[in-house]
């Protein structure tokens, strides 16, 4: 009798368990369907306006622009042989390698200072003020300050056209930092204030100093914010073309001749095949940087480094890359690997 009772109880429990599992399975399926319904409109938009057009650009990079004849890697070889493309790519790489790390470090430093005291919170509405300044206004300020008859020349007693010499590059970097430092500061502050205070308190109780707390506690917890800021900063680094174009037109001083200039000139000349090849290479390089930050490990850095190093090695092997451009690429790769390894 006891065995029969135990069997019945066991069977009842199994039925209840199976019923719960079936209910959980049905609810999971409903959640998946609901998630699909929410995601499909966005996926359709991304596919229609991003993935499909990029697929067409990728195919166009292997064909001629007029006859649509398949030419293999001829378009890529053509842009590698183009001195204007090499100049623009080198300037763009140099600008990103200098401007983006400076922006991240300056924003983090200011965020640490502001986060340490509450008196700066009342001025936080001023942080984003530079982003509200139109590009045309910034260009007028540039001209008033740095042209041959500008304020800086009068102050120094000189007659130098700073916008027509190599100094134009550093003016461009300074303008990029000034305009984008505010949003970078806000994002760093958001990341710092999301770190639980008890973690830092526990580290201090264990005897950790300020530097140790920053390297072992604060910096690892800022990794998500760092990736977001890196991607946004990279995207904004390509927006400086507006100011440069207003200052120098389609052919500015050679130190500020960027990739957007040559893409614009190719578009004007209807060289869509070269544009497609250049766009694919740009996506590979930026995708490599994004992958290295997104995976969040030395493996991720290695993936990004392989993509970027392959392109760099191809340029060097074919004799189309200068030693300076190779050095800049090396600096970017080393920086990515070191930051991922530390954090």
């Amino acid at each position: 009798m006891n065995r029969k009772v135990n069997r019945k109880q066991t069977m009842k429990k199994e039925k209840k368990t199976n019923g719960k599992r079936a209910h959980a399975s049905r609810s999971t399926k409903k959640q998946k369907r609901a998630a699909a319904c929410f995601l499909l409109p966005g996926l359709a938009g991304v596919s229609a306006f991003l993935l499909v057009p990029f697929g067409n650009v990728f195919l166009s990079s292997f064909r001629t622009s007029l006859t649509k004849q398949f030419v293999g890697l001829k378009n890529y070889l053509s842009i590698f042989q183009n001195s204007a493309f090499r100049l623009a790519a080198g300037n763009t790489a140099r600008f990103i390698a200098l401007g983006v790390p400076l922006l991240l470090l300056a924003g983090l430093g200011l965020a640490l200072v502001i986060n340490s005291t509450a008196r700066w919170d009342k001025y936080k509405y001023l942080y984003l003020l530079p982003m509200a300044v139109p590009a045309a206004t910034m260009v007028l300020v540039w001209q008033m300050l740095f042209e041959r008859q500008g304020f800086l020349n009068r102050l120094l007693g000189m007659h130098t056209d700073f916008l027509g010499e190599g100094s134009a590059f550093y003016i461009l970097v300074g303008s990029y930092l000034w305009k984008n430092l505010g949003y970078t500061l806000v994002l760093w502050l958001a990341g710092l204030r999301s770190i639980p205070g008890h973690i830092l308190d526990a580290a201090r109780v264990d005897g950790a100093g300020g530097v140790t707390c920053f390297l072992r506690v604060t910096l690892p917890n800022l990794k998500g914010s760092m990736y977001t800021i890196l991607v946004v900063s990279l995207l904004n680094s390509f927006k400086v073309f507006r100011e440069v174009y207003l200052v120098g037109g389609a052919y500015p001083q050679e130190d500020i001749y960027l990739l957007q200039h040559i893409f614009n000139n190719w578009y004007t000349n209807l060289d869509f095949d070269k544009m497609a090849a250049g766009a694919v290479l740009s996506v590979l390089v930026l995708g490599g940087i994004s992958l290295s930050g997104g995976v969040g490990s030395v493996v991720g850095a290695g993936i990004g480094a392989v993509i970027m190093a392959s392109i760099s090695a191809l340029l060097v092997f074919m004799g189309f890359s200068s030693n300076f451009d190779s050095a800049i690429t090396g600096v970017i790769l080393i920086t990515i690997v070191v930051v991922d390894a530390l954090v």
Side-chain angles (χ1 to χ4, degrees):
M1 290 293 294
N2 292 332
R3 290 181 179 178
K4 290 182 179 180
V5 172
N6 291 334
R7 286 178 184 175
K8 289 181 180 180
Q9 291 177 350
T10 303
M11 291 176 64
K12 288 181 180 179
K13 289 181 180 179
E14 288 179 354
K15 287 181 180 179
K16 288 182 179 179
T17 303
N18 293 333
K20 290 180 179 178
R21 288 176 180 174
H23 178 72
S25 177
R26 286 194 296 268
S27 62
T28 302
K29 289 180 180 179
K30 289 181 180 179
Q31 291 176 354
K32 289 181 178 180
R33 288 172 189 163
C37 290
F38 282 108
L39 292 175
L40 280 176
L43 180 61
V46 170
S47 300
F49 298 107
L50 184 63
L51 298 180
V52 174
F54 180 74
N56 184 43
V57 169
F58 180 76
L59 294 176
S60 299
S61 68
F62 299 101
R63 298 183 298 193
T64 59
S65 58
L66 296 178
T67 62
K68 304 299 181 182
Q69 180 183 0
F70 181 78
V71 292
L73 297 176
K74 185 177 179 180
N75 292 329
Y76 293 91
L77 298 178
S78 176
I79 65 172
F80 289 153
Q81 293 171 345
N82 190 322
S83 59
F85 176 79
R86 297 200 303 272
L87 175 64
N91 288 337
T92 304
R94 187 159 63 112
F95 177 79
I96 292 175
L98 180 61
V100 173
L102 281 177
L103 179 63
L104 266 64
L105 291 174
L108 178 58
L110 286 175
L112 289 171
V113 172
I114 293 173
N115 191 54
S116 62
T117 178
R119 65 178 180 177
W120 293 100
D121 284 345
K122 58 184 177 181
Y123 302 112
K124 59 186 177 182
Y125 64 91
L126 296 175
Y127 301 158
L128 299 177
L129 187 60
M131 297 192 71
V133 178
T137 304
M138 288 187 63
V139 170
L140 288 175
V141 173
W142 284 17
Q143 292 172 344
M144 292 171 61
L145 287 175
F146 302 113
E147 279 193 342
R148 195 178 298 275
Q149 303 298 326
F151 294 144
L152 187 59
N153 276 310
R154 292 187 179 185
L155 180 64
L156 300 176
M158 301 170 60
H159 297 281
T160 303
D161 185 9
F162 292 102
L163 295 176
E165 297 183 353
S167 56
F169 175 80
Y170 299 101
I171 294 173
L172 181 63
V173 172
S175 173
Y176 168 73
L177 293 176
W178 175 79
K179 187 160 188 175
N180 295 282
L181 187 60
Y183 86 86
T184 307
L185 174 61
V186 170
L187 292 177
W188 279 126
L189 280 174
L192 287 171
R193 291 174 180 177
S194 66
I195 300 175
H198 64 83
I199 298 179
L200 292 170
D201 293 338
R204 294 189 188 99
V205 169
D206 290 338
V211 177
T212 304
C213 284
F214 176 74
L215 293 177
R216 299 294 183 181
V217 180
T218 304
L219 202 56
N221 282 281
L222 288 175
K223 196 164 189 180
S225 300
M226 184 187 301
Y227 175 65
T228 302
I229 296 169
L230 173 63
V231 172
V232 176
S233 300
L234 279 173
L235 295 177
N236 285 334
S237 68
F238 285 90
K239 296 180 181 179
V240 297
F241 168 73
R242 298 171 298 179
E243 289 85 351
V244 179
Y245 187 82
L246 289 174
V247 170
Y251 298 96
Q253 200 273 338
E254 64 175 15
D255 288 310
I256 54 175
Y257 187 76
L258 305 175
L259 279 175
Q260 295 92 324
H261 287 96
I262 195 168
F263 285 154
N264 183 68
N265 295 335
W266 280 341
Y267 180 79
T268 304
N269 297 328
L270 302 181
D271 292 328
F272 299 124
D273 45 1
K274 294 179 181 178
M275 281 185 64
V280 171
L281 287 177
S282 300
V283 168
L284 286 176
V285 172
L286 293 177
I289 298 175
S290 299
L291 275 176
S292 65
V295 175
S297 64
V298 180
V299 176
I303 295 173
V306 167
I307 295 175
M308 296 175 66
S310 300
I311 296 172
S312 178
L314 180 62
L315 289 173
V316 174
F317 176 76
M318 299 180 66
F320 299 141
S321 179
S322 66
N323 292 330
F324 179 76
D325 295 344
S326 301
I328 287 296
T329 304
V331 169
I332 296 174
L333 298 180
I334 293 171
T335 302
I336 292 171
V337 174
V338 169
V339 169
D340 271 332
L342 287 176
V343 178

